[in-house]
Amino acid sequence: DFGNVNTYASFTHGYKSGGFNLDATAAIGGADPRFLSETVDSYEVGLKGRFMDNALTFNLALFHQEFQNFQVLEFTGIQFQTFNVPEVLSTGLELESVIRPADGLTITAGVTYVDARYPSDCGGGSGNVQVLTLCGNELTNAPELVSILGANFEETISSDLKFFLNGQIRLESDRRTSTQARTVPGAAQIAAANGSVQAAIDASPLLPVDVQDSNININLRAGIAEIDDGWAIEAWATNLTNQVTRGVTFNTTLRSGSRSAFPQEPRLYGITVMGQL
C-alpha cells in the first residue's frame, strides 16, 4: 500500500480434469479416446491507483501463464478429436481506467495485449501430427490486441425519473478462427516428404481464409427509469454497424478441402421493459 497506489503479485496453479472423448467415432481404427488432465501455472503482478478524489482510477496487470497438456478439441470434417498439447504459453498485459469528469458521466477505457501461442517446441517429443502442426502458431480466437472505450451518462429528469445513455466501442486485431493454421498433412504427404513429419508440415498449405480481420463493434443503449430503479424502459442496439465476423471456422462435414464457419451475432436491436414486483 503506497497511499493512492497499491501493488500486488500472485501465483495460481489450476487444474482441468482429463476424460474420454464421447464422440461415436472417437475410437475408430483403434484410436485412443482418452485425454489427459490440463494444468496451468499463472503468474501476475500489477498495480491499482486512485487519484483526484477517486475521479480517476487506473489499473495495470502483467501476466504469464504456462499450460501443460493443454486440451484441444478439433473437428476434422469426419469426427471430433480431443488431444493434448504438451506446452502452451500466454503472456500479456492489461490496462484499464475509469474516469468521472462530471456528475452523472462515467468513462471507461481498457486495452489488453496478449501473446497466446503454441511455442515452436510445443510437441515435447510427441509424434502426434495434429500437435506438431499447431507448434509455432497462435491460439484460436486470441487476438493480440483488444481495446474497449465506453461511456455512461445519467441525468435526473424530475424528482421521480432519470434518463440514461450508454455506449461502447470494442476494437480487436486480427485473430485466427480455426484450430489449425494450416492443413494437417496425412500419411501420403509425410511419405512424399521422405518420412519427415516436419518437412510435410512446412510444405502444407496455410489456411488464410480462417483469419478474421480486425474489426470494430459498437453497442448503444438509452432509456428512462424510476429514480430508485424500480422500473426502466430502454432501447438498445448491438453491433450497430452490422459487422459480419466469424466465430469458429472448421472443415466442412464430409467435404474434403471445403471450409465452413459459424458467424457471430449480426446487428440486433430492441426495447426492454424492466420492473420490480
Side-chain angles (χ1 to χ4, degrees):
D1 183 353
F2 296 96
N4 288 334
V5 176
N6 293 329
T7 61
Y8 68 91
S10 70
F11 168 78
T12 304
H13 179 75
Y15 172 85
K16 182 178 179 182
S17 177
F20 295 86
N21 183 355
L22 299 181
D23 185 81
T25 64
I28 284 180
D32 189 348
R34 298 173 296 177
F35 53 92
L36 301 174
S37 298
E38 173 186 316
T39 61
V40 59
D41 292 329
S42 179
Y43 307 84
E44 183 173 333
V45 295
L47 59 87
K48 300 176 180 291
R50 295 179 177 270
F51 311 97
M52 302 171 61
D53 294 328
N54 293 331
L56 170 64
T57 62
F58 177 84
N59 302 326
L60 168 65
L62 306 175
F63 60 86
H64 176 71
Q65 298 172 316
E66 300 175 354
F67 294 85
Q68 294 81 41
N69 292 321
F70 185 76
Q71 295 172 4
V72 176
L73 174 64
E74 182 176 12
F75 182 63
T76 66
I78 301 175
Q79 63 183 149
F80 286 95
Q81 294 183 347
T82 306
F83 55 93
N84 296 95
V85 179
E87 183 181 14
V88 168
L89 302 175
S90 179
T91 307
L93 63 87
E94 292 179 337
L95 288 169
E96 59 180 14
S97 64
V98 179
I99 307 169
R100 301 176 181 85
D103 291 341
L105 177 61
T106 302
I107 299 173
T108 57
V111 60
T112 299
Y113 169 80
V114 60
D115 180 14
R117 73 273 188 196
Y118 300 100
S120 58
D121 58 349
C122 77
S126 169
N128 188 329
V129 179
Q130 287 175 300
V131 171
L132 296 177
T133 306
L134 287 171
C135 294
N137 295 297
E138 70 274 15
L139 266 63
T140 307
N141 281 323
E144 282 193 344
L145 185 67
V146 175
S147 181
I148 295 177
L149 177 64
N152 186 75
F153 177 74
E154 290 189 3
E155 180 68 28
T156 300
I157 300 175
S158 68
S159 59
D160 299 320
L161 294 176
K162 63 180 178 180
F163 165 81
F164 58 89
L165 177 64
N166 179 279
Q168 184 186 79
I169 300 175
R170 181 184 185 274
L171 179 148
E172 68 173 13
S173 60
D174 296 353
R175 55 181 167 84
R176 186 168 53 79
T177 59
S178 59
T179 305
Q180 295 282 2
R182 61 179 68 237
T183 303
V184 178
Q189 288 78 19
I190 295 174
N194 297 320
S196 171
V197 173
Q198 189 58 55
I201 292 172
D202 294 340
S204 183
L206 289 169
L207 300 169
V209 71
D210 292 358
V211 176
Q212 171 59 54
D213 294 336
S214 61
N215 59 89
I216 298 176
N217 193 289
I218 302 174
N219 301 324
L220 293 176
R221 182 171 61 93
I224 57 173
E226 185 184 32
I227 200 74
D228 295 326
D229 294 321
W231 60 266
I233 301 175
E234 63 180 39
W236 52 266
T238 58
N239 190 6
L240 187 64
T241 58
N242 201 29
Q243 294 287 311
V244 179
T245 56
R246 295 183 296 272
V248 178
T249 309
F250 52 95
N251 289 319
T252 303
T253 305
L254 301 178
R255 292 184 62 184
S256 178
S258 175
R259 304 288 286 168
S260 296
F262 288 122
Q264 295 180 301
E265 286 188 344
R267 178 171 53 221
L268 300 174
Y269 53 88
I271 295 175
T272 300
V273 178
M274 299 176 289
Q276 297 180 5
L277 299 178

